[in-house]
Amino acid sequence: KAGVTQTPRYLIKTRGQQVTLSCSPISGHRSVSWYQQTPGQGLQFLFEYFSETQRNKGNFPGRFSGRQFSNSRSEMNVSTLELGDSALYLCASSFFPLVQNTNSPLHFGNGTRLTVT
Amino acid sequence: KNEVEQSPQNLTAQEGEFITINCSYSVGISALHWLQQHPGGGIVSLFMLSSGKKKHGRLIATINIQEKHSSLHITASHPRDSAVYICAAHYGGSQGNLIFGKGTKLSVKP
């Protein structure tokens, strides 16, 4: 069974640009959640999609958005990039949505490292 | 405010030592995750538990719901256990999100 695949692995963008990251979950998983990891703040929850619907959202500005397709693949978009958006962006998939999930482990991708210059 | 505290921040051990990493959270949760992150960034889920104790090989995770505390133990530590270990409080209900600890960087010397 293939794991969670995130593309691209590395990305360099300039302030003001926008970026789209992709996450393909494990086959059969319908929940995809996104996380930002920085040296200062650690890991933070961005949002979760389940069955093409955003289920919940962390405390991030509206520049951070996402969507999920019918095959459960998810994309995350960041518009008007700022230097502070430089981070490792991770996604995780699971069978159940986070709100109902008490026993189904999360499976993480290897992340996309975004550098904003 | 939902908070997760992890200790210690850094831990150096000799190969073979018994290791304990602690995690405390502030409000009721639906589950607690223990994650392992190696250099390069990839994260592996070690345990997800909502009560009691789970064991996988040399790793043991326990949780005390009343005390809002969880521990990760590594028996007979090995240099390949060197990684960052992160606990995450899983909030269900109307929130359905995760709050992460800052992580414990473990280095096991041969």
Side-chain angles (χ1 to χ4, degrees), chain B residues 6 10 12 15 17 29 32 35 42-43 47 52 61 83 92 103-104 106:
Chain B
Q6 245 186 277
N10 294 283
T12 300
E15 184 173 354
E17 285 185 359
I29 61 173
L32 193 289
L35 310 171
I43 291 179
F47 296 103
T104 295
L106 171 66

Side-chain angles (χ1 to χ4, degrees), chain B residues 2-42:
Chain B
N2 302 340
E3 292 182 339
V4 177
E5 299 286 336
Q6 245 186 277
S7 64
Q9 272 189 292
N10 294 283
L11 185 55
T12 300
Q14 286 298 127
E15 184 173 354
E17 285 185 359
F18 181 84
I19 288 162
T20 297
I21 300 170
N22 296 298
C23 177
S24 297
Y25 50 92
S26 57
V27 295
I29 61 173
S30 59
L32 193 289
H33 298 259
W34 280 103
L35 310 171
Q36 180 192 57
Q37 186 172 33
H38 282 281

Side-chain angles (χ1 to χ4, degrees), chain A residues 60-105:
Chain A
F60 279 83
R63 300 184 297 107
F64 292 81
S65 64
R67 59 178 176 168
Q68 187 178 37
F69 302 94
S70 58
N71 62 357
S72 294
R73 187 177 72 87
S74 177
E75 287 182 347
M76 188 192 108
N77 185 271
V78 188
S79 63
T80 319
L81 283 166
E82 301 176 0
L83 294 179
D85 297 333
S86 295
L88 179 67
Y89 291 89
L90 292 148
C91 71
S93 77
S94 62
F95 187 80
F96 296 109
L98 290 177
V99 69
Q100 296 171 3
N101 187 2
T102 60
N103 203 31
S104 176

Side-chain angles (χ1 to χ4, degrees), chain A residues 37 41 56 98-99 101 106, chain B residues 37 45 48 90 93 95-96 102:
Chain A
Q37 186 177 36
Q41 297 296 320
N56 39 54
L98 290 177
V99 69
N101 187 2
L106 298 177
Chain B
Q37 186 172 33
S45 176
M48 179 182 185
H90 185 146
Q95 298 182 59
K102 295 293 187 190

Side-chain angles (χ1 to χ4, degrees), chain A residues 12-34:
Chain A
I12 300 174
K13 289 286 188 179
T14 305
R15 268 181 304 176
Q17 288 185 316
Q18 74 165 18
V19 67
T20 299
L21 314 181
S22 178
C23 175
S24 293
I26 286 174
S27 178
H29 285 188
R30 291 190 293 159
S31 166
V32 175
S33 48
W34 287 89

